[in-house]
Each structure stands twice: as structure tokens, then as C-alpha cells.
Amino acid sequence: MDEDSNVVLFAPFGGSAPDPDFFLESVLDGWERQQRAKDFSAGTISSRRSLVMQLVDFSGHYPWQWTIADADDFFSHARGIRNLAHATVRSYQTAIKLFCDFACDPRYDWNEQCARLFGAGFAQVITELNRISHAQPTDARPAKRPFTQRELQQLFDLADLEVQRVINSGRRAPIAAWRDAVALKAAYSWGLRSNELRHLQLVDLSRNHRAPYFGDYGVVRVRWGKPHRGSAKKVRSVLTVWEWSVDVLRDWVTNGLPHYGEPLTDLFPTSKGNVVGESHLLGRLRAFIDELGFPPGLDIHSFRRSYATHLITGEGFDVAFVQMQLGHEHASTTSIYALPSPDYQTRALQQIHERTLAAAKQLPRRREP
């Protein structure tokens, strides 16, 4: 296909009938170039392209033969049979809609070529009639929740105990247990998503000149932040809040990490030189939660929920500060994370009473008549 036009040269079989597979590949290649121009990531482009082919295989029809009924059947199967999440199916519908918008756009003349070659044209099959509504301001499941302060303390104590248990048992890899304990604490200490945590490197740690007492651990630079609408990873800097988290990380970098050899790059590596896997950390966390008997609703992302909750309702930080720390585009998203802890109302009322009593002590005593 000529890079400067949408003219498709169909002669793969010496002038035989047009090849629909070749034409479809050409349309997908054109869509891929458009998405690259819009700065979508390679992963997003690849998954969208794969989704188009899934609908082709499921329906048995090429995209210019698709009907709304084909889309209805495909997404009904995804939701009802495959049991995919509401948000996942909605994102699939968005991808198919974007493809149809591209193929139907007269500025690219794919429809004109399709009609000339196959006697049919592309049509939009995702409409307001069959599209899943964005009914909730967040796709977080209601069952998910943050840790309480007490749960966090018990969890971190057990993670430290696990290191000693591995040593006492004579099993291999006590360093791996130590690494996992530090990783879980870091997820909470800087409010990190799983991918952000796993891909941290030593070069991402730096000083905060306004908080020199944290040394080289005053700022954590996150380079694997959640992308916006398929674009490149978002980068942000997270300021260190708690001194205890610096002690944990410094001890690991100084005494634990060197066991993985030189040169040191990743903050949480494996013995094979990869970054620690999300499934491994989740498995470790679930084992701790089961042993402690905590109520359901906790996962790795609960550390991030807890970070926001405890900073706002426990430490009294401003929502705008927490929003920047978490890398949220909107403060409303941060407020969803900041769920009050069970004793928040009691502590808030107590603080008001204490301030009222302190102010009353400063008032001049009333003169007796």
C-alpha cells in the first residue's frame, strides 16, 4: 500500500479477484498509523487490532459485513458467558467503535474502495442502543476496600516474621521474603500501583531539598504511571511522607539488594534478573491475609486506597496534595479513594472537643458580680 494514499494494490494472485484478507490487513495497517500519530502506545494498538480480529472470527464476517446483531452477540457472550467485567466490555466496545469510525471516515476513502471491491461498505455497529453505559464514576468494585491502620500493622509484622520463619526453616531464599516485605510496605508508603511498584529502579530515588532529613529517599520518581487513553506511561514524582518508610527502604538497598549481584538497577528484582511478578506479590499478600483472617476486599491496590484514606482522614493532608501524590487527573477520583476509616468520626469529634477545650482555657475568667 502506498504510504501517501489509501490505494490498495490487489494483485497477489496474478490479477485474480480481490483478496478480502489482504484488504482487511491494509485497513488495519492504516488504523495503526492513525493511532501512532495520536500517540497511542504499541500495546494499546496491538490489543485493539486483536479485538477487531476476534469479532471477525466470532461473527464469521468481515468488518464491512458486520451488523449490529453481530456486535450484540459478541458482547453478550463476553459479558454473559466469559463473565468479563463491566469496564472491560465497555473498553472493548470503545475499540470497535473507534475502528468503525476510522473505516467509515470519508477522509480515508476505505468505504469507497470497499464498495468498489466487494459491493459493501463499513458501518458503525456500536451505537447508543447497544453500548454499555458508564453508570458509575469509578469502575472500582464495591467489595474492594482499604486496610485499616491496625490491619496494616499486623500485616507488616507478619511479613517481617515470615523472613525469620524462612531463615529458621532452613529453606532457600530468605532474601526473596525480605524483598516481598519491603515491596508491600513501599506500595503503601508511596501509594503505588502494582506496575509502578514493580518497575521502580534505584535511579528513581532522590533527595527532597525541602526535607533533607529523608536523605536520598525524599522523592520517588514513578515512570510507569497509568497511561491516559492508551498514551505513553505517565511520569510523576511522589514525595516521601513517613520517616519509617525511609528506614525500611534504606536498609533494603544497603543490606538486602546487594545479594542480587552487580550492577544493581531494579529495586525489586528476582534471582533471574527480572522484576518481581505481580502474581507473586499478590500470592504472598493473599497468604498473609488468609493467615491473619482479615475480612474480604483486600488486594495490592488496597495499599493505594489506604494511603489516600490515611493521609486525608488520619494525617489531615489536603486533598489536592494527595491528588498530586497519586497522579490523579481529577480530585473527584482521589475523594473516591479516600474512604473514612471506621473510627474516623469518633476521632474527628474528639479533635474538635480538644480544640474547643484548649480555646476555652485561654479565655479570661468571668468576674463574679
Side-chain angles (χ1 to χ4, degrees), residues 92-105:
Y92 285 4
Q93 290 182 333
T94 298
I96 296 299
K97 183 178 185 302
L98 289 174
F99 171 76
C100 292
D101 284 343
F102 168 78
C104 293
D105 195 319

Side-chain angles (χ1 to χ4, degrees), residues 59-80:
S59 66
H61 299 148
Y62 288 102
W64 51 91
Q65 300 170 327
W66 285 346
T67 65
I68 291 181
D70 289 329
D72 290 348
D73 290 342
F74 179 68
F75 293 113
S76 294
H77 182 270
R79 193 79 171 104

Side-chain angles (χ1 to χ4, degrees), residues 13-190:
F13 303 110
S16 61
D19 182 0
D21 291 324
F22 183 81
F23 179 73
L24 176 56
E25 286 295 315
S26 299
V27 178
L28 289 171
D29 289 343
W31 189 37
E32 181 173 332
R33 288 193 295 274
Q34 183 216 42
Q35 292 180 90
R36 285 178 178 173
K38 296 174 70 174
D39 198 30
F40 285 105
S41 68
T44 297
I45 296 172
S46 176
S47 64
R48 287 176 174 174
R49 184 169 183 145
S50 173
L51 191 61
V52 170
M53 296 309 300
Q54 288 180 44
L55 181 49
V56 169
D57 293 338
F58 182 89
S59 66
H61 299 148
Y62 288 102
W64 51 91
Q65 300 170 327
W66 285 346
T67 65
I68 291 181
D70 289 329
D72 290 348
D73 290 342
F74 179 68
F75 293 113
S76 294
H77 182 270
R79 193 79 171 104
I81 305 301
R82 297 175 61 193
N83 199 30
L84 298 182
H86 173 107
T88 301
V89 176
R90 181 176 170 82
S91 69
Y92 285 4
Q93 290 182 333
T94 298
I96 296 299
K97 183 178 185 302
L98 289 174
F99 171 76
C100 292
D101 284 343
F102 168 78
C104 293
D105 195 319
R107 290 170 291 187
Y108 289 99
D109 80 357
W110 292 114
N111 241 344
E112 181 180 339
Q113 292 190 54
C114 190
R116 185 173 65 251
L117 294 168
F118 306 108
F122 294 96
Q124 181 57 261
V125 295
I126 305 298
T127 72
E128 68 279 359
L129 297 176
N130 62 358
R131 185 148 193 217
I132 293 178
S133 62
H134 196 31
Q136 295 179 328
T138 175
D139 289 322
R141 289 170 173 80
K144 301 301 182 182
R145 65 178 182 87
F147 292 91
T148 66
Q149 289 280 13
R150 182 179 179 84
E151 287 174 337
L152 276 175
Q153 187 62 60
Q154 292 177 331
L155 176 68
F156 293 157
D157 288 345
L158 181 58
D160 292 338
L161 177 62
E162 177 66 12
V163 179
Q164 190 59 48
R165 290 194 298 201
V166 172
I167 295 173
N168 294 341
S169 69
R171 289 180 290 163
R172 298 177 59 188
I175 294 298
W178 185 6
R179 175 203 61 203
D180 297 344
V182 175
L184 297 181
K185 294 174 185 177
Y188 170 69
S189 296
W190 287 275

